[in-house]
Amino acid sequence: FPVTIRWVVRHDEKYRYAGTRDGGLEGGPGQLAPGASIRIGVMFSCCCLTYCRPQQLEEALESFLRQTYRGLKELVILNDNPRVKYRFNHPEVRIINLDKRFENMGKKLNASCELCKYPIRVGWPDDDVFLPNALELFSTGMNGSDYYSFFGYWWFAENGKIMWRDDLLHGLIIGKVDAIRSVGGYPEISCGEDKGLRKKLASAGFIEHQRNVTPEDGFFINRWGKNRLTAYTIDKGWNEIGKIGDTVPKGDYELKPHWDRDYLVAVATP
């Protein structure tokens, strides 16, 4: 599935952005707030791969809009369900709606790498929740490394509570786009692709930084296994997930970002 898009970023350009919840735009979407400058430091392309879960996608979008990081960032939403065309107008959000589904998750991940405008790629799952401190934490985490991962995260427990877990956060790799591209990207499979990428990066000599996260600075709430799509990833595979596409309303879908609950309160009182 060829997706070849290249972006060039001029580091000497001047950007202005107010950084508020609705995009910091005093006059509405697409207008820059006068005098509100941002820091040009680490630049993030957050890649959100989505298929057939618009309600959870709206929570992922809300998570991005709540980020306190004042540097350059973007959210790239890659949708390969041809039935639906997602819409949302925001200067830091790009939505790519495709008319054909990818053959596997690895190919979809690699397509998202080609879409990155900025040099650091962040996986931004469409069914999980990032707290507002996530990109701030990422901006201080590279420490001269090429990619890094985390130990410690919040997760949705069986009893409906949000609990802390000291474990490797599987499936979330923050890394340099050039490093990922240089090893040929993710393996073209639909299960274990993140583990495969780590192995390829390590074999090529790229440096990984592993960071321990405490509940005080926890930034991620994992919803693994709490919806039918994630459960299908291992048990029934990519083809079974594809059948769910027929259950999503057809046509244009205007995203309405929101959180279903106040997750900041939830993690403060687990």
Side-chain angles (χ1 to χ4, degrees):
F1 200 105
V3 178
T4 304
I5 300 176
R6 289 287 189 269
W7 296 85
V8 177
V9 179
R10 287 182 53 198
H11 290 211
D12 60 342
E13 290 186 60
K14 294 182 179 179
Y15 296 83
R16 294 180 179 275
Y17 175 65
T20 60
R21 158 62 180 76
D22 61 355
L25 309 174
E26 293 184 351
Q31 299 182 25
L32 300 177
S37 61
I38 65 171
R39 179 176 71 250
I40 297 182
V42 182
M43 297 178 286
F44 295 108
S45 285
C46 304
C47 296
C48 184
L49 282 57
T50 191
Y51 189 84
C52 299
R53 36 191 179 196
Q55 290 78 23
Q56 292 178 355
L57 174 60
E58 289 175 331
E59 287 205 284
L61 175 56
E62 176 73 12
S63 294
F64 178 80
L65 297 177
R66 287 180 181 244
Q67 292 302 303
T68 58
Y69 183 62
R70 300 297 299 274
L72 295 174
K73 60 186 182 296
E74 65 169 349
L75 179 67
V76 181
I77 298 174
L78 180 56
N79 166 47
D80 61 341
N81 179 3
R83 286 178 55 89
V84 62
K85 307 298 181 187
Y86 293 119
R87 310 294 183 195
F88 185 71
N89 184 22
H90 190 282
E92 291 185 320
V93 177
R94 286 189 289 135
I95 301 178
I96 293 86
N97 294 299
L98 300 180
D99 294 326
K100 180 181 178 182
R101 188 164 182 251
F102 288 94
E103 296 174 9
N104 54 62
M105 179 58 77
K107 286 189 175 183
K108 190 172 182 179
L109 286 163
N110 290 331
S112 74
C113 290
E114 295 301 312
L115 291 165
C116 290
K117 181 167 63 174
Y118 297 136
I120 304 298
R121 182 190 183 278
V122 178
W124 201 269
D126 68 341
D127 62 331
D128 298 316
V129 175
F130 285 87
L131 298 178
N133 64 320
L135 293 182
E136 287 279 1
L137 188 69
F138 300 165
S139 69
T140 62
M142 295 301 287
N143 293 332
S145 60
D146 300 298
Y147 65 106
Y148 67 110
S149 53
F150 297 89
F151 285 84
Y153 58 90
W154 298 100
W155 66 291
F156 290 90
E158 295 297 335
N159 57 9
K161 293 184 178 181
I162 296 177
M163 309 292 290
W164 183 255
R165 186 167 185 169
D166 287 310
D167 195 4
L168 174 66
L169 183 50
H170 296 278
L172 184 62
I173 299 176
I174 294 89
K176 296 177 180 177
V177 175
D178 287 346
I180 297 172
R181 289 174 178 167
S182 72
V183 298
Y186 288 81
E188 294 186 352
I189 54 179
S190 293
C191 183
E193 63 279 354
D194 297 291
K195 182 178 180 180
L197 176 62
R198 284 192 176 94
K199 184 176 181 180
K200 291 172 73 173
L201 289 169
S203 297
F206 288 106
I207 301 172
E208 178 182 14
H209 174 65
Q210 295 184 343
R211 181 168 180 171
N212 293 318
V213 180
T214 65
E216 288 70 30
D217 57 6
F219 63 90
F220 187 80
I221 309 176
N222 194 337
R223 198 183 262 122
W224 172 257
K226 299 301 181 291
N227 62 73
R228 56 185 176 176
L229 268 73
T230 52
Y232 281 166
T233 301
I234 294 175
D235 296 335
K236 296 190 179 181
W238 185 258
N239 292 334
E240 283 297 316
I241 297 174
K243 297 176 183 178
I244 303 174
D246 295 336
T247 67
V248 176
K250 190 175 182 179
D252 285 1
Y253 188 110
E254 184 69 24
L255 293 171
K256 298 178 176 60
H258 69 282
W259 276 353
D260 285 344
R261 59 193 284 198
D262 191 333
Y263 293 112
L264 289 173
V265 172
V267 300
T269 55

